[in-house]
Amino acid sequence: MLRYAFKRAVLALLVAFTVSLVAFFLLNFATDPAEIIAGEDAEPEVVETIREQYGFNRPLIIQYGSWLAGLARGDWGESYYWRKPVAELVLEHAPVTIQLALMAVFVTLIVAIPLAVMAALRPNSLLDRMALSTAVMAQAVPNFWLGLIFIILFAVTIPIFPVSGDSSFAHFILPSIVLGTSSVPAVMRLTRTGLLEVLSSDYIRTAKSKGYRGFKLLTRHAMRNALLPVVSVLAIQLGHKLGSSVVVESVFALNGLGRLALDSIIGSDIPTVQMLVFVFAMVFVVLIFLSDLLNAWIDPRLRLG
Amino acid sequence: MEKRHEIADHSAASADEVPEELTPRLLMKRRMFRHKGFLLGTGLLFLLVLLAIFAPLIAPFDPFDQVLSRRLLPPVWAEGGGWEHLLGTDHLGRDYLSRLLYGARMSLIIGLGAATVGCVIGVTLGVCAGYFGGRIDQVIGYLLTCQLALPGLLLAMSLVFMIGPSVPVVISVIGLLHWTYYLVVTRAATMQIKQLDYIAAARTLGSSHSQIIIYEILPNLLNQIIVIFTLEIGIAVLAEAALSFLGVGIQPPIPSWGLMIAEGKNAMYYRPWLVILPGIAIFIMVISTNLMGDGLRDVTAPDNRS
Amino acid sequence: MTSSRDPLLIIENLTVDIPVASGILHAVRDVSFTLERGEVLGIVGESGSGKSISSLALMGLLPASAKRAASKLEFAGRDLLAMSDDVLAREITGERMSMIFQEPMTSLNPVYTIGRQLTEVMLLHGKGNEREARERALYLLEKVGLPNAKTRLEQYPHQLSGGQRQRVMIALALMNEPELIIADEPTTALDVTVQAQILRLLTDLCDEFNMAMILISHDLGAISRTADRVGVMYAGQLVETGHVKDVLEAPQHPYTIGLLSCTPKMKDNSESLLGTIPGMVPSLVGEVKGCAFANRCAERQNECLHRSPPLREFAGAMGGIRRSRCILKPGWDGEAKAEGLDVAERVNVKDITKTGEANVLSAKNVACHFNVKKSLFGPAQVLRAVDGINLDLRAGEILALVGESGCGKSTLAKLLLGVEQPTAGHIQLDGQDLMATASFERARRLQPVFQDPYSSLNPRKTIGQSIGRPLDLHKIGEATDRRREVERLMELVGLPRRLYHSYPNQISGGQRQRVAIARALIMKPDILICDEPTSALDVSVQSQILNLLLDLRAELGLTYLIITHDLSVVDYMATRIAVMYLGQIVEVGLKEKLIHDPSHPYTRILLDSVLKMEPGEKIPKTEIGGAFPNALAMPSGCRFHPRCPLAIDKCRRVAPELGTDNVRCHLSSEISSRTTEMVPSVSGVEKEVPA
């Protein structure tokens, strides 16, 4: 188990490193930070001075090295746009996004899992077909649009939830429903397929021949096996929730990391964008690492194999 | 082995008696015409494609024409609406129906383009990883993990905005970030096919790797690739809409559904149709590709099993 | 064995219908039988005969869409028809009636320990508490021959081999001391040596606990050694039932007669050709008219096509009632017919053996080692799949390469075909290095026929395209010539020309194998390497393919290397035999010598494990110990010593070489001297000159 965990951790670190490299090069190739800092109508000499000052004239690989070295020291760089340390910015905005993502995953779970289990127990039943067609439809709804529809509905017609801002818990309810429903179809389909596959396996036939039926069969023999893919997909979904919260944050005027990212992009604030990409990737990598560990705990073949 | 084939064997035996009738293609066609979701999806998509192609002929107005005196007219069924502008006008007095029709063009171009870019990248990597295995597979698997770890939307936003938002840039960026699905599926399928005896037979006949991939493997992946391609069109359409909505995708005055929602947002409390209509358009486009893709998967799946 | 009380199980007119895409599949049609307490009933039949479905119907394990009907279904005095599925599950299945399945690798839940899976079945039915269940599990694990039972309880299924898992499955079935065990092909997925042991174990346990057993198998040999009574199933019906000796020695139904004549029997020096059953099983979808066997039956009368045959009852010679579902009256000259099929002369095996002197293909010290890496960072382990093989294939012979799964025989086949590169040694084709020969050149000399007819053809290409592909690839001839050549070969292998535009999923397994043979032959090669060419086929189809291979060899003068685990096929086909164990050849010799006077202990055990058809005979106890070892952890000294009943101290330390007598054993001289005393008639067998 320890060896497995160690190997996974090394892989996670490697991925984080590669991602930071890719993000750095993509963003720095695409733009000239000196021009951005200097502003649109700046004299060429000014741009040149800034280039000297910030070290943008050095080869990219050196710049990357110094960025990485800064990262190791805990120095996340300085935002051009906000004129503030990036670390401070990220810490300021993180709580909103974390709360949003956790609540959204909660919404996904309580809707998707029970639906999937009911659908898998009675494949091709009315409930199953209804759940599947709802999933198909839900997948086709753009979530920013759903957010706007909610705002129209709840701001004007049924004003029970606040629709803008992040000052109270109630402010998070609509955004997390919007963000949460967007991954219901994927999680539901996966759980359903996984459970159906398990239910048609040879070892379930063995369990049935032992005399297991119905709910007991599910809890004693099928659930644990079917959980494996669900754990992974939940980790991936939670990671993506964080990364795609930008849309929902923008619709509901939540001041989280997504909002920060959007403003930084429009302000061409490369240090902030770069660090956000890296932070999101790190969080994703850590989530995957945790789900790997959880799966190893569930499945002895991973643990002992 | 034996038991597994028990039921299948009967169908094989029965098929033998009437071989002329039941080619795989015919069977698939028969299943297609019985699959309601597939028929509905394909029909809708076909209609959308027609509307997009013939937009210049159908659209009552030029989508770029601003008539400031006729701003924010409601659609025909709402109070104050008129037959001249069936779906009303936007905040600059442009005909909303015409803009929606031209928006379909944009969505389809970006959907098809991005799905193609992703397909080329994903299938190439997937087939290579599955066929050659070993180190190549490990490297490609590693690439996949990295790609999954990258916050796609955020990266797309920054790249499109910083490179300069134009249609080709949007297509390439969305395509570059949406190839993982192709990779995962084609890799698994190729690995499975590679084990089969007909690949070994082809090798003993002296076929080269590329001959095996082209003649023996790709034809067997085609169904699955088409299914993913269809589904990816919908995903790309949604991605473009989100980018344009956030202001880092298609730029005004080009008609794009996502952008139209963003533009209508300011007036949404008293002119909700400005937001609702383009959303419905996106929904129809995406659901038609999803229905078609899911349908294709259902229709072709039994074929893969035998 | 049987008691005077009521029968344990009474089944009358059982039918199972399963809706499928093209209609309703009548999987089981009108099956009736009774089973006494303690009796073993063997059910034989080919795939699709409905033998598994009928047992699943009994256990309530049918797919939800299937419909079961019967006029009577009684188990131990209880009416199963009136019982709901829940009551059946609670009171009967797992407690009084249990089942052993075919696939030991997948039938245990991978995420729970063996201990939990064993004890839960007792706890579920309230037959004891945790401690009692554990004790029973320990007792049974010992009983089924799994040493270290205590540690086994804590292990997970993936830590056990297939044979061990099947033993766990047997222990599982016995946990609640059931009155009936249904064993569905319990040994089909296992190796020959393990197969005999497991069957022996099952029958011994039945005797010991006075359990009844329904043993479902396609293997007539296994049935003949285990069953008291036997039922033959065809197309969803029981066509013949009776005492095992009656049915197998004096068959009445034409299908039973055909089935018996198709089965290679390993009789001494038999030179006759195997019988075949022409045609194929009819579709059971929709209405089945008349006798289902009529289209393949040699005794068919006009009436058979329209009317269902009567179920005739008559007394068997060995006692009890016999039944045959056939228009023919009992006592017709069925037996004579069965003998009559044996007269055809097999091709002149001996002539070719004598001419087979020139080596066409030879392996010299060939090894193929793989580096197995479990992860990106883990240490590489060496898997020695093939390790120092010397083997010659002589022009015109049929060399059979025999071994259990994992011994490296398929890797050797790939090496000989040039698909895989040897890591040491070299392979010569007519004295030239195989790897140096151009791949196109090689393709015209050597062609393969593979095991699985379902995977040997590209599902996207028509039969004509598949057979003609080699010509396209090598750019031979014009399109019309190619077409003509493909049709000539289709005729040669017995494929109707109308299949030219068909796809593989439209034809049967046997026909696919014919397509694969045609594709292999279109380049006019002189050597065919057949890797388990019939092991995925039913026995009636197997005999067709084996006979086809023999015919083609006589007609085209081909040389065969046949790789197989099935010794009866080896005995039927081979002129010379090589036995492989853990990457090495342990014995090579002419068939007569090797089959009747084996020198290597492993060869002897392999031969002893073969269940020849001898109704009423017990299964011999084989002396082989341990499980098939892991090729990643080779034993020291002789690779066979951990399982060898004769192993001495030297075997543990010194690895034996393949000696001049072509046997890799320290004790070979002693063994052969011992057997020559016992079987003096074969002592004069020619000594082979080592290559």
Side-chain angles (χ1 to χ4, degrees):
Chain A
M1 184 76 184
L2 262 176
R3 249 187 57 164
Y4 178 80
F6 176 73
K7 281 192 292 194
R8 291 279 124 186
V10 170
L11 188 69
L13 272 178
L14 222 63
V15 169
F17 172 76
T18 316
V19 166
S20 74
L21 193 74
V22 169
F24 188 93
F25 278 86
L26 276 180
L27 292 174
N28 283 287
F29 262 127
T31 53
D32 184 352
E35 273 179 23
I36 294 162
I37 297 170
E40 265 177 44
D41 307 316
E43 302 289 317
E45 298 90 66
V46 180
V47 177
E48 202 49 47
T49 327
I50 291 173
R51 202 165 277 151
E52 287 279 322
Q53 226 173 356
Y54 283 82
F56 294 141
N57 51 353
R58 295 173 298 166
L60 270 183
I61 189 80
I62 307 265
Q63 291 185 46
Y64 175 70
S66 69
W67 180 78
L68 208 61
L71 200 65
R73 282 197 309 271
D75 170 17
W76 291 16
E78 182 91 8
S79 156
Y80 313 145
Y81 179 75
W82 309 91
R83 311 271 167 204
K84 253 180 167 182
V86 175
E88 204 174 294
L89 278 170
V90 170
L91 286 180
E92 252 170 48
H93 291 81
V96 170
T97 304
I98 291 170
Q99 187 180 352
L100 176 63
L102 287 176
M103 283 176 67
V105 166
F106 178 72
V107 170
T108 308
L109 269 180
I110 57 163
V111 180
I113 304 286
L115 259 180
V117 171
M118 284 190 286
L121 283 183
R122 298 250 178 286
N124 283 325
S125 64
L126 189 68
L127 181 90
D128 182 30
R129 273 177 302 184
M130 266 169 52
L132 279 182
S133 38
T134 317
V136 173
M137 291 208 268
Q139 250 171 345
V141 177
N143 57 2
F144 58 92
W145 182 71
L146 186 66
L148 292 177
I149 300 294
F150 272 20
I151 291 177
I152 295 174
L153 264 179
F154 287 97
V156 186
T157 326
I158 343 168
I160 39 172
F161 295 117
V163 293
S164 173
D166 50 25
S167 44
S168 76
F169 180 80
H171 280 95
F172 284 90
I173 291 176
L174 286 181
S176 56
I177 290 176
V178 170
L179 195 53
T181 39
S182 67
S183 38
V184 165
V187 175
M188 197 206 89
R189 282 177 162 208
L190 197 99
T191 314
R192 177 183 172 275
T193 326
L195 199 56
L196 274 179
E197 209 169 282
V198 168
L199 285 177
S200 64
S201 68
D202 287 341
Y203 56 82
I204 289 299
R205 191 181 55 183
T206 308
K208 280 186 187 165
S209 82
K210 287 176 179 176
Y212 279 113
R213 286 294 190 280
F215 194 62
K216 234 180 177 171
L217 179 71
L218 204 67
T219 51
R220 296 281 294 169
H221 267 280
M223 223 36 194
R224 193 158 171 171
N225 305 68
L227 219 57
L228 286 164
V230 177
V231 168
S232 307
V233 85
L234 273 179
I236 292 177
Q237 289 294 339
L238 182 58
H240 281 175
K241 289 273 128 73
L242 289 166
S244 58
S245 64
V246 47
V247 176
V248 173
E249 285 182 21
S250 145
V251 169
F252 288 97
L254 301 179
N255 197 13
L257 290 175
R259 186 81 223 168
L260 175 68
L262 184 59
D263 290 344
S264 309
I265 288 168
I266 291 173
S268 294
D269 188 11
I270 290 175
T272 314
V273 176
Q274 202 166 279
M275 189 48 77
L276 280 173
V277 170
F278 180 69
V279 166
F280 282 134
M282 265 320 275
V283 171
F284 186 86
V285 164
V286 168
L287 284 172
I288 293 293
F289 173 67
L290 291 178
S291 83
D292 281 347
L293 288 193
L294 192 57
N295 272 344
W297 177 71
I298 295 173
D299 189 344
R301 284 169 298 181
L302 294 174
R303 201 182 332 143
L304 306 166
Chain B
M1 179 89 219
E2 213 213 349
K3 243 205 72 240
R4 291 261 158 81
H5 285 300
E6 208 159 291
I7 295 173
D9 257 5
H10 283 290
S11 50
S14 64
D16 179 63
E17 285 156 18
V18 273
E20 268 72 38
E21 263 181 66
L22 294 158
T23 66
R25 252 167 242 158
L26 249 164
L27 273 173
M28 209 168 88
K29 252 186 218 158
R30 199 182 288 176
R31 282 196 297 269
M32 270 181 188
F33 283 104
R34 281 185 197 154
H35 197 289
K36 283 181 205 128
F38 173 77
L39 291 179
L40 182 67
T42 316
L44 276 176
L45 194 64
F46 186 66
L47 193 72
L48 283 171
V49 170
L50 283 184
L51 288 177
I53 292 175
F54 297 109
L57 299 177
I58 306 166
F61 291 90
D62 183 330
F64 298 98
D65 251 6
Q66 304 182 5
V67 185
L68 292 177
S69 58
R70 328 198 80 199
R71 288 176 356 183
L72 293 172
L73 288 181
V76 61
W77 59 84
E79 212 185 302
W83 286 99
E84 196 184 357
H85 296 282
L86 275 178
L87 301 179
T89 58
D90 69 1
H91 62 295
L92 295 174
R94 296 174 291 197
D95 182 55
Y96 223 50
L97 175 62
S98 308
R99 284 188 72 74
L100 280 174
L101 285 172
Y102 276 85
R105 279 189 147 185
M106 195 43 60
S107 278
L108 272 174
I109 289 171
I110 288 174
L112 286 171
T116 311
V117 172
C119 180
V120 171
I121 301 173
V123 173
T124 312
L125 289 177
V127 171
C128 285
Y131 184 74
F132 294 106
R135 282 278 147 77
I136 295 176
D137 184 34
Q138 281 173 348
V139 169
I140 292 175
Y142 181 72
L143 272 181
L144 172 72
T145 318
C146 293
Q147 165 73 65
L148 284 174
L150 281 171
L153 185 60
L154 204 58
L155 211 60
M157 284 162 56
S158 4
L159 286 176
V160 171
F161 188 77
M162 292 181 186
I163 298 171
S166 67
V167 177
V169 171
V170 172
I171 289 177
S172 348
V173 167
I174 294 179
L176 267 173
L177 295 168
H178 287 90
W179 45 263
T180 50
Y181 193 7
Y182 293 101
L183 186 147
V184 172
V185 174
T186 52
R187 174 178 172 272
T190 308
M191 271 165 78
Q192 203 190 350
I193 293 172
K194 193 187 135 195
Q195 303 297 323
L196 298 180
D197 288 340
Y198 66 84
I199 301 298
R203 284 181 69 188
T204 56
L205 285 172
S207 306
S208 64
H209 289 313
S210 57
Q211 277 170 326
I212 288 179
I213 288 175
I214 292 166
Y215 190 87
E216 312 282 355
I217 293 181
L218 279 180
N220 287 292
L221 296 179
L222 203 61
N223 280 342
Q224 294 174 56
I225 294 174
I226 293 172
V227 168
I228 302 170
F229 184 82
T230 322
L231 295 173
E232 286 287 342
I233 292 177
I235 293 171
V237 167
L238 282 177
E240 181 271 326
L243 288 180
S244 301
F245 172 75
L246 292 170
V248 287
I250 302 298
Q251 298 296 307
I254 301 173
S256 145
W257 292 338
L259 187 59
M260 287 165 75
I261 294 178
E263 288 167 347
K265 206 175 89 176
N266 297 325
M268 72 179 178
Y269 290 115
Y270 53 99
R271 287 281 180 268
W273 293 110
L274 288 180
V275 166
I276 294 172
L277 285 174
I280 290 174
I282 298 174
F283 176 76
I284 292 176
M285 169 81 79
V286 178
I287 205 164
S288 65
T289 60
N290 283 0
L291 282 176
M292 191 175 149
D294 285 349
L296 272 178
R297 175 165 34 209
D298 293 348
V299 164
T300 55
D303 203 58
N304 296 333
R305 226 177 289 143
S306 64
Chain C
M1 226 184 225
T2 50
S3 75
S4 56
R5 283 177 298 168
D6 288 339
L8 177 66
L9 179 70
I10 305 171
I11 295 179
E12 275 174 25
N13 311 101
L14 174 70
T15 59
V16 177
D17 292 344
I18 303 172
V20 291
S22 48
I24 289 178
L25 173 73
H26 302 287
V28 177
R29 304 185 296 141
D30 197 16
V31 162
S32 309
F33 63 85
T34 57
L35 189 67
E36 308 290 336
R37 283 176 191 276
E39 187 182 34
V40 177
L41 172 70
I43 295 188
V44 279
E46 299 178 275
S47 54
S49 62
K51 54 192 194 303
S52 293
I53 302 278
S54 40
S55 62
L56 292 176
L58 216 52
M59 292 285 292
L61 295 177
L62 287 174
S65 60
K67 280 197 184 61
R68 181 189 75 179
S71 55
K72 193 170 186 183
L73 215 56
E74 216 177 272
F75 174 73
R78 303 205 41 187
D79 184 7
L80 298 188
L81 282 176
M83 222 176 253
S84 76
D85 191 47
D86 283 337
V87 178
L88 181 78
R90 203 163 50 236
E91 295 177 12
I92 307 285
T93 52
E95 185 177 339
R96 307 183 63 182
M97 188 199 295
S98 56
M99 189 154 179
I100 300 165
F101 299 98
Q102 179 180 357
E103 302 88 5
M105 300 311 278
T106 50
S107 289
L108 290 166
N109 194 326
V111 303
Y112 296 116
T113 60
I114 302 295
R116 189 197 127 149
Q117 298 190 53
L118 282 172
T119 51
E120 69 177 357
V121 62
M122 218 164 135
L123 301 173
L124 179 74
H125 291 280
K127 300 285 264 189
N129 58 29
E130 194 84 44
R131 192 182 49 81
E132 285 163 343
R134 218 183 121 81
E135 266 165 23
R136 173 110 183 127
L138 281 173
Y139 166 74
L140 282 173
L141 284 183
E142 300 271 359
K143 194 93 207 158
V144 298
L146 275 180
N148 309 327
K150 265 217 169 94
T151 48
R152 298 281 180 219
L153 287 184
E154 306 307 320
Q155 284 184 315
Y156 289 93
H158 74 274
Q159 293 166 303
L160 306 182
S161 72
Q164 289 172 326
R165 287 188 214 186
Q166 199 61 311
R167 285 171 202 267
V168 172
M169 282 300 292
I170 293 173
L172 185 60
L174 294 173
M175 280 299 283
N176 285 331
E177 297 181 59
E179 288 136 282
L180 171 64
I181 282 197
I182 302 174
D184 185 1
E185 304 267 7
T187 57
T188 307
L190 303 175
D191 275 321
V192 205
T193 49
V194 188
Q195 198 168 346
Q197 292 173 341
I198 297 276
L199 283 175
R200 168 91 197 212
L201 173 68
L202 269 174
T203 43
D204 285 354
L205 289 169
C206 278
D207 283 348
E208 191 175 335
F209 298 114
N210 192 32
M211 282 182 308
M213 175 160 74
I214 299 178
L215 178 70
I216 297 165
S217 179
H218 68 284
D219 183 348
L220 283 168
I223 292 281
S224 77
R225 299 296 194 93
T226 42
D228 302 317
R229 276 195 313 138
V230 63
V232 182
M233 276 194 92
Y234 182 79
Q237 288 180 321
L238 264 178
V239 293
E240 182 163 4
T241 47
H243 190 279
V244 64
K245 273 199 141 151
D246 282 337
V247 173
L248 297 184
E249 284 174 358
Q252 285 298 316
H253 195 281
Y255 175 66
T256 318
I257 295 170
L259 197 62
L260 283 164
S261 76
C262 290
T263 312
K265 290 165 206 73
M266 294 194 77
K267 272 189 194 155
D268 295 345
N269 301 321
S270 164
E271 295 282 306
S272 51
L273 215 52
L274 280 180
T276 53
I277 305 177
M280 57 206 309
V281 184
S283 163
L284 294 181
V285 177
E287 190 80 38
V288 182
K289 252 207 211 150
C291 172
F293 188 59
N295 62 340
R296 308 174 70 183
C297 183
E299 305 298 324
R300 181 184 59 218
Q301 299 170 9
N302 248 345
E303 208 185 325
C304 301
L305 294 171
H306 313 294
R307 260 199 13 212
S308 302
L311 187 61
R312 297 188 188 275
E313 274 190 22
F314 50 99
M318 300 297 298
I321 300 168
R322 291 186 65 178
R323 284 179 179 152
S324 171
R325 194 182 285 274
C326 183
I327 192 165
L328 295 165
K329 288 204 176 69
W332 68 290
D333 53 353
E335 216 170 323
K337 282 266 181 222
E339 291 299 314
L341 281 169
D342 269 0
V343 291
E345 187 72 9
R346 212 180 334 164
V347 271
N348 297 324
V349 176
K350 290 212 173 97
D351 290 352
I352 299 173
T353 322
K354 289 207 179 94
T355 59
E357 295 296 333
N359 293 339
V360 279
L361 188 66
S362 35
K364 302 214 184 294
N365 289 317
V366 166
C368 186
H369 296 178
F370 297 104
N371 282 329
V372 182
K373 255 184 142 183
K374 283 192 175 157
S375 71
L376 197 57
F377 309 105
Q381 279 178 297
V382 179
L383 175 76
R384 290 186 274 181
V386 168
D387 207 14
I389 293 241
N390 284 301
L391 191 66
D392 297 315
L393 187 63
R394 299 168 189 172
E397 75 170 345
I398 304 180
L399 174 63
L401 185 63
V402 194
E404 292 176 276
S405 56
C407 74
K409 56 188 194 298
S410 287
T411 310
L412 182 60
K414 284 186 187 148
L415 290 169
L416 293 173
L417 282 166
V419 177
E420 199 83 58
Q421 289 241 20
T423 45
H426 47 273
I427 295 162
Q428 291 182 337
L429 180 62
D430 282 338
Q432 297 229 308
D433 189 31
L434 187 72
M435 296 320 286
T437 343
S439 61
F440 273 29
E441 190 60 35
R442 217 156 55 206
R444 291 175 200 203
R445 298 291 317 278
L446 272 173
Q447 277 297 310
V449 175
F450 293 108
Q451 167 180 13
D452 184 2
Y454 291 87
S455 82
S456 62
L457 301 177
N458 189 335
R460 296 268 142 209
K461 307 289 171 191
T462 63
I463 302 310
Q465 281 174 323
S466 279
I467 299 176
R469 174 68 181 160
L471 298 178
D472 292 346
L473 198 66
H474 290 237
K475 304 198 170 55
I476 298 171
E478 297 292 312
T480 48
D481 297 343
R482 286 181 196 164
R483 166 102 199 213
R484 213 174 311 122
E485 184 64 8
V486 169
E487 284 177 346
R488 191 181 70 80
L489 270 144
M490 286 177 73
E491 204 178 305
L492 188 67
V493 299
L495 282 169
R497 198 174 289 187
R498 70 193 154 85
L499 296 181
Y500 189 91
H501 291 293
S502 303
Y503 284 89
N505 69 345
Q506 295 169 264
I507 64 175
S508 70
Q511 286 176 326
R512 287 177 197 219
Q513 205 60 314
R514 287 174 196 269
V515 173
I517 293 171
R519 176 181 57 193
L521 289 177
I522 202 161
M523 301 293 291
K524 303 197 173 71
D526 46 357
I527 307 167
L528 280 195
I529 296 184
C530 310
D531 189 355
E532 305 270 10
T534 57
S535 64
L537 302 174
D538 273 323
V539 68
S540 68
V541 183
Q542 164 174 301
S543 65
Q544 290 172 11
I545 297 293
L546 293 181
N547 287 349
L548 173 69
L549 285 172
L550 286 175
D551 285 349
L552 289 171
R553 170 169 170 265
E555 207 172 320
L556 307 172
L558 298 168
T559 305
Y560 291 148
L561 174 66
I562 294 182
I563 292 159
T564 181
H565 69 282
D566 187 341
L567 282 155
S568 59
V569 169
V570 171
D571 178 60
Y572 180 60
M573 297 290 286
T575 57
R576 214 156 57 96
I577 300 172
V579 182
M580 208 169 159
Y581 186 81
L582 271 184
Q584 295 180 326
I585 301 279
V586 295
E587 184 170 2
V588 192
L590 286 177
K591 178 181 91 179
E592 288 77 14
K593 158 85 171 65
L594 206 129
I595 294 272
H596 301 297
D597 180 23
S599 299
H600 196 281
Y602 179 63
T603 315
R604 296 169 67 89
I605 287 166
L606 264 187
L607 285 164
D608 285 348
S609 308
V610 177
L611 298 174
K612 287 180 217 163
M613 197 159 55
E614 276 168 41
E617 285 291 311
K618 273 251 161 195
I619 296 166
K621 256 207 152 84
T622 45
E623 291 174 82
I624 196 159
F628 200 81
N630 184 350
L632 284 171
M634 289 285 187
S636 65
C638 172
R639 288 184 183 173
F640 186 59
H641 87 257
R643 302 174 72 192
C644 184
L646 306 175
I648 54 170
D649 192 45
K650 189 182 175 193
C651 304
R652 251 158 246 129
R653 291 178 285 106
V654 187
E657 291 298 317
L658 199 62
T660 48
D661 53 352
N662 277 319
V663 181
R664 192 187 286 274
C665 181
H666 293 308
L667 303 165
S668 65
S669 51
E670 290 168 46
I671 295 168
S672 41
S673 67
R674 223 169 39 201
T675 41
T676 26
E677 276 163 36
M678 277 153 52
V679 198
S681 58
V682 282
S683 61
V685 160
E686 58 179 287
K687 268 268 162 77
E688 275 183 63
V689 188

